[in-house]
């Protein structure tokens, strides 16, 4: 791909600032000005527009490509929710307005959205209270573990030291528990992908602060022993945490609050179509039952008896602020609009389609790729490319093959306990035709692995960057892309 620097022609300009309309003595004092002569390309506006437009087309996104990235739920974000979130009545609101005296009259709509979202999420999950503040799923987890810690502290229980986490949990779970100051204990899974109950019983004692469970697990399966597990944890006054990032797999079919959980988070960006990618933005609302509600972050939105919505800070046992102001408000508007659009039946249908689509792909690919658990999967399924690996074609090679087929690769090498893992999540918003095309390409990859395994070393052939050294890229990050003089410098 041609770089913008290669187009540079000395003296060519793409802009004209015209004569300054401020006095020249308003210039930046030289002590603040950088003297570095930045090596910028000299190009026309058209060169720049074409360069960046072409670059943007190298990106894969859900607006351009099928994106079956397991554990990430890259589903379609309807454009009407974007339009609603951009209404000036929302975007022009100053976050401090609600706290000004008389400011209430300008913020009723925004506060109503926060209030009603909380009510709806409570109804969907079986919890008594929600906070909308956490800015991502992992941030929701941290909030939840802080609530867990506040609970034990308020009871004067200083023994609590460990959070138990099955090996099928999302990788952020142990990280969140550790950031909140707990040590973690990992519990192995049984052959069906469920938690090994004997190992759990052996690990639980008075020092157990709680358990974090990802449901459906990262193996894409539903844990069948939740009631028993929660009895074991509650017997030592532990807290049951539900990682509900992927609530789109159970929405309207199972309420975590009804089956023994005390606290959960939801990723709005996986369940209620708000955009995400590159680590943000997102929203990870946290729900709790009455055991934990008094510890929730402030502020909370309450509805006064006269029907006016106000911010309430009077929660003396609150863990305090977990985000500036009220969370990623624009994303919450999108989630609200999406729920309103679909309604009860529509939201339940999303779950049915998410699960149906994942099972469709699992069964269609089963003759070609090894499936990890021969049972109904939830919103995603995990394969192993172990058969292909015997022919010298690894999960990464299949991923690179798919890029040339204009498909974003599924998640590979996660969960880490599955060798050559390929984790596929079609999501509820993809059509049968799109999935059939993907299935065909996956079958083609399997066939090619039998007839010409060496061909895989060349993929992808259509991309400017092909196989970067991923270890080096992670360890030796260079972020100054603009000043990089060659593509390899920028990786
Ligand atoms: C995506 C995901 C998370 C993390 O969510 P972020 O918004 O990326 O922080 C946590 N748990 C599970 C199960 C997930 O799928």
């Amino acid at each position: 791909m041609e770089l913008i620097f290669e187009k540079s022609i000395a003296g060519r300009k793409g802009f004209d600032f015209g004569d300054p309309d401020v006095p020249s003595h308003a210039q930046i004092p030289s002590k603040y000005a950088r003297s570095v002569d930045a090596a910028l390309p000299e190009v026309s506006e058209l060169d720049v527009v074409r360069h960046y437009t072409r670059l943007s087309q190298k990106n894969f996104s859900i607006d351009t490509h099928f994106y079956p990235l397991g554990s990430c739920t890259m589903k379609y974000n309807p454009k009407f929710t974007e339009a609603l979130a951009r209404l000036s009545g929302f975007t022009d609101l100053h976050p401090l307005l609600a706290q000004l005296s008389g400011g209430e009259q300008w913020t009723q709509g925004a506060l109503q959205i926060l209030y009603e979202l909380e009510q709806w999420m409570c109804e969907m999950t079986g919890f008594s209270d929600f906070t909308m503040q956490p800015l991502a799923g992992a941030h929701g987890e941290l909030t939840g573990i802080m609530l867990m810690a506040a609970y034990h502290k308020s009871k004067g229980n200083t023994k609590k030291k460990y959070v138990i986490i099955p090996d099928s949990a999302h990788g952020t779970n142990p990280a969140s528990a550790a950031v909140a100051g707990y040590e973690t204990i990992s519990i192995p899974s049984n052959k069906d992908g469920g938690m090994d109950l004997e190992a759990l019983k052996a690990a639980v004692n008075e020092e157990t602060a709680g358990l974090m469970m990802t449901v459906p697990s990262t193996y894409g399966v539903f844990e069948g022993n939740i009631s028993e597990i929660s009895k074991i944890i509650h017997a030592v006054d532990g807290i049951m945490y539900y990682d509900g990032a992927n609530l789109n797999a159970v929405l309207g079919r199972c309420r975590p609050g009804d089956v023994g959980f005390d606290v959960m988070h939801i990723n709005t960006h996986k369940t209620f179509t708000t955009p995400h990618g590159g680590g943000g933005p997102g929203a990870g609302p946290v729900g709790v039952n009455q055991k934990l509600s008094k510890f929730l972050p402030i502020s909370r939105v309450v509805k006064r008896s006269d029907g006016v919505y106000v911010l309430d800070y009077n929660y003396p046992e609150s863990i305090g602020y977990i985000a500036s102001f009220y969370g990623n408000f624009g994303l919450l508007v999108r989630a609200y609009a999406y729920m309103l659009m679909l309604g009860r039946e529509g939201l339940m249908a999303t779950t049915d389609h998410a699960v149906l689509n994942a099972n469709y792909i699992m069964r269609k690919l089963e003759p070609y790729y090894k499936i990890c658990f021969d049972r109904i999967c939830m919103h995603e399924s995990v394969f192993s490319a172990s058969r292909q690996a015997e022919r010298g074609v690894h999960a990464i090679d299949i991923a690179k093959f798919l890029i040339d087929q204009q498909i974003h690769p599924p998640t590979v090498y996660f969960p880490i306990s599955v060798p050559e893992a390929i984790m596929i999540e079609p999501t509820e918003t993809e059509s049968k035709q799109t999935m059939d095309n993907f299935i065909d390409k996956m079958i083609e990859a399997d066939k090619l692995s039998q007839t010409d395994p060496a061909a895989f070393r060349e993929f992808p052939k259509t991309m400017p960057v092909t196989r970067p050294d991923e270890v080096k890229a992670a360890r030796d990050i260079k972020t100054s892309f603009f000043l990089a003089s060659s593509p390899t410098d920028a990786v």
Side-chain angles (χ1 to χ4, degrees):
M1 186 182 55
E2 204 176 356
L3 286 169
I4 194 84
F5 283 92
E6 292 163 2
K7 298 203 156 174
S8 185
I9 302 281
R12 183 164 289 171
K13 280 210 293 189
F15 64 93
D16 183 2
F17 285 136
D19 292 332
D21 58 358
V22 288
S24 58
H25 63 254
Q27 277 172 357
I28 301 169
S30 59
K31 65 174 172 177
Y32 298 124
R34 272 185 298 175
S35 59
V36 188
D37 189 13
L40 296 174
E42 296 179 79
V43 284
S44 71
E45 178 176 335
L46 196 52
D47 289 335
V48 173
V49 169
R50 286 186 182 154
H51 173 72
Y52 282 107
T53 304
R54 219 175 275 133
L55 263 191
S56 75
Q57 288 165 345
K58 300 286 174 205
N59 269 339
F60 278 45
S61 74
I62 19 173
D63 282 356
T64 53
H65 296 87
F66 180 46
Y67 209 130
L69 194 63
S71 198
C72 291
T73 316
M74 299 303 287
K75 70 198 214 182
Y76 178 62
N77 300 138
K79 299 302 168 233
F80 94 99
T81 59
E82 297 297 314
L84 292 180
R86 283 176 175 74
L87 289 178
S88 61
F90 296 130
T91 55
D92 291 351
L93 276 184
H94 192 285
L96 288 172
L97 200 55
Q99 294 170 30
L100 283 184
S101 102
E104 260 147 39
Q105 58 173 313
W106 308 108
T107 53
Q108 285 304 291
L111 295 182
Q112 184 179 352
I113 285 178
L114 295 174
Y115 182 85
E116 287 184 352
L117 259 183
E118 180 173 349
Q119 306 297 308
W120 297 349
M121 285 187 183
C122 286
E123 193 172 325
M124 287 173 202
T125 60
F127 285 112
S128 65
D129 300 84
F130 257 86
T131 173
M132 296 298 145
Q133 277 184 35
L135 305 172
H139 195 204
E141 291 169 27
L142 177 65
T143 308
I145 300 298
M146 287 169 74
L147 296 171
M148 185 187 282
Y151 170 82
H152 293 309
K153 193 172 166 210
S154 81
K155 294 184 104 180
N157 191 337
T158 52
K159 282 200 217 130
K160 300 297 190 188
K161 239 167 114 178
Y162 299 103
V163 173
I164 294 184
I165 304 175
D167 66 0
S168 61
H170 195 265
T172 47
N173 289 192
S176 300
V179 170
Y182 286 111
E183 289 173 50
T184 60
I185 295 178
S186 177
I187 302 293
S189 300
N190 59 31
K191 64 179 185 350
D192 298 323
M195 205 186 303
D196 180 334
L197 287 187
E198 292 314 310
L200 175 68
K201 283 180 199 154
V204 170
N205 57 39
E206 291 302 317
E207 293 185 330
T208 305
L211 176 137
M212 294 179 89
M213 205 193 286
T214 299
V215 191
S217 73
T218 56
Y219 297 143
V221 298
F222 191 81
E223 171 60 63
N225 292 317
I226 291 172
S227 317
E228 197 171 341
I229 293 166
S230 70
K231 273 195 207 111
I232 296 169
I233 297 298
H234 286 149
V236 294
D237 199 22
I239 293 291
M240 285 284 287
Y241 186 95
Y242 185 102
D243 180 334
N246 303 295
L247 194 67
N248 63 333
V250 299
L251 189 61
R253 303 290 167 192
C254 164
R255 302 200 315 166
D258 292 344
V259 294
F261 289 95
D262 303 299
V263 48
M264 78 174 292
H265 82 269
I266 299 173
N267 283 21
T268 64
H269 44 294
K270 291 178 182 171
T271 301
F272 300 115
T273 67
T274 69
H276 67 133
V286 168
V288 293
N289 61 17
Q290 255 140 24
K291 261 192 220 173
L292 299 174
S293 56
K294 63 183 170 183
F295 306 115
L296 278 178
I298 48 171
S299 59
R300 312 264 328 260
V301 182
V302 295
K303 192 176 180 179
R304 278 198 326 230
S305 54
D306 60 358
V308 174
Y309 298 98
V310 289
L311 291 174
D312 189 352
Y313 292 84
N314 190 19
Y315 294 88
E317 290 187 74
S318 163
I319 59 168
Y321 292 90
I322 196 77
S324 51
F325 303 112
Y326 325 104
N328 263 334
F329 182 69
L331 293 196
L332 300 170
V333 174
R334 288 171 176 87
Y336 181 86
Y338 182 72
M339 290 182 197
L340 266 185
M341 175 184 77
L342 288 181
R344 181 178 182 278
E345 305 304 324
L347 287 170
M348 286 173 76
T350 62
T351 290
D352 296 354
H353 287 127
V355 173
L356 181 63
N357 285 359
N359 280 281
Y360 178 70
I361 289 182
M362 180 172 82
R363 292 306 173 191
K364 285 280 188 182
L365 289 182
E366 187 186 351
Y368 309 92
Y369 294 87
K370 182 174 178 280
I371 53 171
C372 291
F373 304 102
D374 191 8
R375 52 186 283 192
I376 289 177
C377 68
M378 301 297 286
H379 62 305
E380 62 194 3
S381 63
V382 183
F383 296 83
S384 166
S386 53
R387 284 177 214 156
Q388 290 73 16
E390 282 168 19
R391 303 169 200 143
V393 175
H394 297 270
I396 185 83
D397 301 317
I398 295 164
K400 299 289 183 188
F401 167 87
L402 288 171
I403 292 174
D404 277 347
Q405 307 300 320
Q406 299 291 306
I407 291 171
H408 190 288
T411 300
V412 289
Y413 302 109
F414 182 82
I416 47 179
S417 50
V418 175
E420 298 291 337
I422 300 183
M423 186 193 216
I424 300 172
E425 179 177 11
T427 82
E428 59 271 27
T429 49
E430 294 298 337
S431 67
K432 178 168 181 296
Q433 288 70 27
T434 302
M435 290 191 291
D436 283 341
N437 176 54
F438 169 73
I439 290 162
D440 288 347
K441 300 300 181 196
M442 287 291 286
I443 295 172
E444 205 179 309
D446 172 58
K447 299 237 158 94
L448 192 60
S449 76
Q450 302 182 39
T451 56
D452 188 7
F456 281 86
R457 274 182 230 129
E458 316 251 305
F459 301 137
K461 289 180 170 172
T462 54
M463 291 288 138
V465 176
T466 53
R467 295 207 175 204
D469 180 340
E470 288 172 20
V471 177
K472 184 172 179 347
R475 297 227 172 113
D476 185 18
I477 295 174
K478 287 189 186 146
T479 50
S480 55
F481 180 81
F482 287 104
L483 296 179
S485 57
S486 76
T488 42
D489 271 7
V491 170

